[in-house]
Amino acid sequence: MEFWFTEKQTEHLGLGVRVRESLLVEQTPFQELAVLDTYQYGRMLVLDGAIQTTEQDEFVYHEMITHVPLTTHPQPREVLVIGGGDGGAIREILRHSEVRRVRLVEIDERVVAAARRFLPGLSQALDDPRAEVMIADGAEYLRALRGACDVILVDSTDPVGPAVKLFEADFYRAVHDALNPEGLFVAQSKSPYLDRGLIRDLLGIVRSLFPVALLYTAAIPTYPSGLWSFVLGSKVHHPLAFEQGRAEKLETRYYSAEIHRSAFALPREIRDELNQAQ
Ligand code: SAM
């Protein structure tokens, strides 16, 4: 008999994957957590029915949420990740020798435990001496940090439950205050095809706080619509003035200097709509 898991991406659209084995299903204090072993994408972390990461395509998301901001900043020493309890973003951040310390603030310790048990290729990085893992609400944690960070990454779930506040203006004011005068941040901002309103609102908030506010995209097979977006806000450094040599030296599968540049070129309709919303 065949077993299939379907992520219901909208009321009328789903992504189905054939499951070899269900490795874990549990209700945590924050969300329903599952780890599935699938034929097409290997092991898959699912939260509240939404695919978070898979062994086969996680490299695209994790390389693109990290290397774009880290090569944009000339000296990224202090990095903070909010969410990201699987460890994939930390693994990529640690490829940058400039980084002295990376703090991860994940609200749900069960996500970290599940990743440690079932996704070692991502979670091993959490044991690196430069990494510190904190179990706390990222929005609360951020308020205590004043000008402490070079780069902040918001590697969160979609805006449901504890992640709702990570898409609000108050949170981005706190991100601004936690960054030092040359700091910058990136937040995952969902699909340009399916979540245009959310992206417009988020970019509007970021434009009101940061002189550099831009959207970039990456092709991620298991995320809704396959095209994913990231919002970048920077106090000084422009992502297209990045150090190409540093970008090319990184050991990556998706990210390169060429991808870094082209990721900011948006499909015309999306570009025009976001420009009109200014
Ligand atoms: N790559 C993913 C995506 O876009 O689907 C995100 C993966 S990561 C596992 C998201 C994490 O954000 C979850 O583990 C969730 O528990 C965490 N999270 C949600 N709200 C949070 C908050 N307020 N503070 C810290 N972590 C939070």
Side-chain angles (χ1 to χ4, degrees), residues 66-184:
T66 56
H67 300 317
V68 173
L70 286 166
T71 53
T72 297
H73 196 293
Q75 275 293 327
R77 293 194 178 101
E78 278 287 336
V79 182
L80 177 74
V81 178
I82 292 179
D86 50 69
I90 300 290
R91 181 194 66 205
E92 295 305 316
I93 290 164
L94 292 171
R95 294 192 198 280
H96 294 255
S97 55
E98 300 84 359
V99 172
R100 288 186 187 151
R101 174 167 66 158
V102 51
R103 286 181 274 191
L104 177 107
V105 191
E106 162 63 59
I107 203 165
D108 193 342
E109 64 172 340
R110 300 307 302 155
V111 172
V112 178
R116 283 192 191 282
R117 185 162 164 216
F118 295 110
L119 298 167
L122 289 82
S123 59
Q124 255 165 21
L126 299 172
D127 297 323
D128 189 279
R130 288 185 287 159
E132 283 174 26
V133 179
M134 262 99 39
I135 302 300
D137 183 326
E140 299 306 321
Y141 184 88
L142 198 61
R143 295 191 193 285
L145 302 178
R146 291 238 146 221
C149 306
D150 295 307
V151 176
I152 296 176
L153 303 182
V154 189
D155 182 5
S156 73
T157 33
D158 295 342
V160 280
V164 170
K165 60 177 91 155
L166 305 183
F167 290 81
E168 291 174 349
D170 248 16
F171 173 70
Y172 286 95
R173 278 191 279 274
V175 167
H176 186 276
D177 293 349
L179 287 167
N180 64 33
E182 289 195 31
L184 58 102

